PDB file of all heavy atoms in Angstrom:
ATOM      1  N   PRO A  13     -42.705 -47.255  50.189  1.00 54.00           N
ATOM      2  CA  PRO A  13     -42.983 -45.829  50.451  1.00 54.00           C
ATOM      3  C   PRO A  13     -42.149 -45.348  51.612  1.00 54.00           C
ATOM      4  O   PRO A  13     -41.828 -46.034  52.500  1.00 54.00           O
ATOM      5  CB  PRO A  13     -44.413 -45.881  50.763  1.00 54.00           C
ATOM      6  CG  PRO A  13     -44.753 -47.268  51.033  1.00 54.00           C
ATOM      7  CD  PRO A  13     -43.706 -48.100  50.455  1.00 54.00           C
ATOM      8  N   ALA A  25     -32.466 -22.791  72.970  1.00 58.00           N
ATOM      9  CA  ALA A  25     -32.850 -21.361  73.266  1.00 58.00           C
ATOM     10  C   ALA A  25     -31.642 -20.546  73.778  1.00 58.00           C
ATOM     11  O   ALA A  25     -30.774 -21.165  74.411  1.00 58.00           O
ATOM     12  CB  ALA A  25     -33.949 -21.366  74.360  1.00 58.00           C
ATOM     13  N   PRO A  40     -30.323 -11.425  66.958  1.00 58.00           N
ATOM     14  CA  PRO A  40     -28.870 -11.436  67.182  1.00 58.00           C
ATOM     15  C   PRO A  40     -28.288 -10.281  66.097  1.00 58.00           C
ATOM     16  O   PRO A  40     -28.854 -10.138  64.968  1.00 58.00           O
ATOM     17  CB  PRO A  40     -28.316 -12.703  67.008  1.00 58.00           C
ATOM     18  CG  PRO A  40     -29.485 -13.594  66.603  1.00 58.00           C
ATOM     19  CD  PRO A  40     -30.681 -12.769  66.698  1.00 58.00           C
ATOM     20  N   PRO A  89      -3.474  12.951   2.540  1.00 85.00           N
ATOM     21  CA  PRO A  89      -2.429  13.671   3.037  1.00 85.00           C
ATOM     22  C   PRO A  89      -2.406  15.206   2.838  1.00 85.00           C
ATOM     23  O   PRO A  89      -2.049  15.932   3.732  1.00 85.00           O
ATOM     24  CB  PRO A  89      -1.185  12.992   2.341  1.00 85.00           C
ATOM     25  CG  PRO A  89      -1.707  11.730   1.841  1.00 85.00           C
ATOM     26  CD  PRO A  89      -3.204  11.873   1.551  1.00 85.00           C
ATOM     27  N   ALA A  93      -2.475  17.796   5.932  1.00 87.00           N
ATOM     28  CA  ALA A  93      -1.384  18.859   6.018  1.00 87.00           C
ATOM     29  C   ALA A  93      -2.079  20.231   6.095  1.00 87.00           C
ATOM     30  O   ALA A  93      -1.594  21.101   6.698  1.00 87.00           O
ATOM     31  CB  ALA A  93      -0.552  18.789   4.771  1.00 87.00           C
ATOM     32  N   ASN A 118       6.389   7.247  -1.968  1.00 95.00           N
ATOM     33  CA  ASN A 118       7.592   7.972  -2.127  1.00 95.00           C
ATOM     34  C   ASN A 118       8.770   7.103  -2.605  1.00 95.00           C
ATOM     35  O   ASN A 118       9.492   7.464  -3.450  1.00 95.00           O
ATOM     36  CB  ASN A 118       7.913   8.705  -0.817  1.00 95.00           C
ATOM     37  CG  ASN A 118       9.012   9.629  -0.888  1.00 95.00           C
ATOM     38  OD1 ASN A 118       9.424  10.063  -1.976  1.00 95.00           O
ATOM     39  ND2 ASN A 118       9.543  10.127   0.228  1.00 95.00           N
ATOM     40  N   LYS A 127      15.288   5.502 -12.230  1.00 97.00           N
ATOM     41  CA  LYS A 127      15.260   4.917 -13.586  1.00 97.00           C
ATOM     42  C   LYS A 127      15.255   6.015 -14.649  1.00 97.00           C
ATOM     43  O   LYS A 127      15.891   5.784 -15.670  1.00 97.00           O
ATOM     44  CB  LYS A 127      14.035   3.996 -13.588  1.00 97.00           C
ATOM     45  CG  LYS A 127      13.924   3.191 -14.779  1.00 97.00           C
ATOM     46  CD  LYS A 127      12.617   2.222 -14.628  1.00 97.00           C
ATOM     47  CE  LYS A 127      12.471   1.376 -15.922  1.00 97.00           C
ATOM     48  NZ  LYS A 127      11.278   0.582 -15.840  1.00 97.00           N
ATOM     49  N   LEU A 138      24.044   8.611 -25.756  1.00 96.00           N
ATOM     50  CA  LEU A 138      23.798   8.206 -27.123  1.00 96.00           C
ATOM     51  C   LEU A 138      23.751   9.475 -28.041  1.00 96.00           C
ATOM     52  O   LEU A 138      24.331   9.412 -29.179  1.00 96.00           O
ATOM     53  CB  LEU A 138      22.445   7.525 -27.208  1.00 96.00           C
ATOM     54  CG  LEU A 138      21.977   7.038 -28.585  1.00 96.00           C
ATOM     55  CD1 LEU A 138      23.010   6.030 -29.132  1.00 96.00           C
ATOM     56  CD2 LEU A 138      20.616   6.362 -28.551  1.00 96.00           C
ATOM     57  N   GLU A 143      26.221  12.620 -32.084  1.00 96.00           N
ATOM     58  CA  GLU A 143      26.737  13.987 -32.683  1.00 96.00           C
ATOM     59  C   GLU A 143      28.249  13.737 -33.092  1.00 96.00           C
ATOM     60  O   GLU A 143      28.610  14.403 -34.135  1.00 96.00           O
ATOM     61  CB  GLU A 143      26.719  14.919 -31.490  1.00 96.00           C
ATOM     62  CG  GLU A 143      25.391  15.520 -31.179  1.00 96.00           C
ATOM     63  CD  GLU A 143      25.298  16.466 -30.104  1.00 96.00           C
ATOM     64  OE1 GLU A 143      26.377  16.708 -29.332  1.00 96.00           O
ATOM     65  OE2 GLU A 143      24.287  17.030 -29.814  1.00 96.00           O
ATOM     66  N   LEU A 163      39.438  17.363 -58.102  1.00 95.00           N
ATOM     67  CA  LEU A 163      39.590  16.537 -59.317  1.00 95.00           C
ATOM     68  C   LEU A 163      38.763  17.033 -60.492  1.00 95.00           C
ATOM     69  O   LEU A 163      39.284  17.031 -61.617  1.00 95.00           O
ATOM     70  CB  LEU A 163      39.053  15.045 -58.974  1.00 95.00           C
ATOM     71  CG  LEU A 163      39.864  14.310 -58.084  1.00 95.00           C
ATOM     72  CD1 LEU A 163      39.198  12.900 -57.645  1.00 95.00           C
ATOM     73  CD2 LEU A 163      41.271  14.035 -58.679  1.00 95.00           C
TER      74      LEU A 163
END
Side-chain angles (χ1 to χ4, degrees):
N118 193 11
K127 187 177 179 182
L138 180 63
E143 285 176 359
L163 289 174

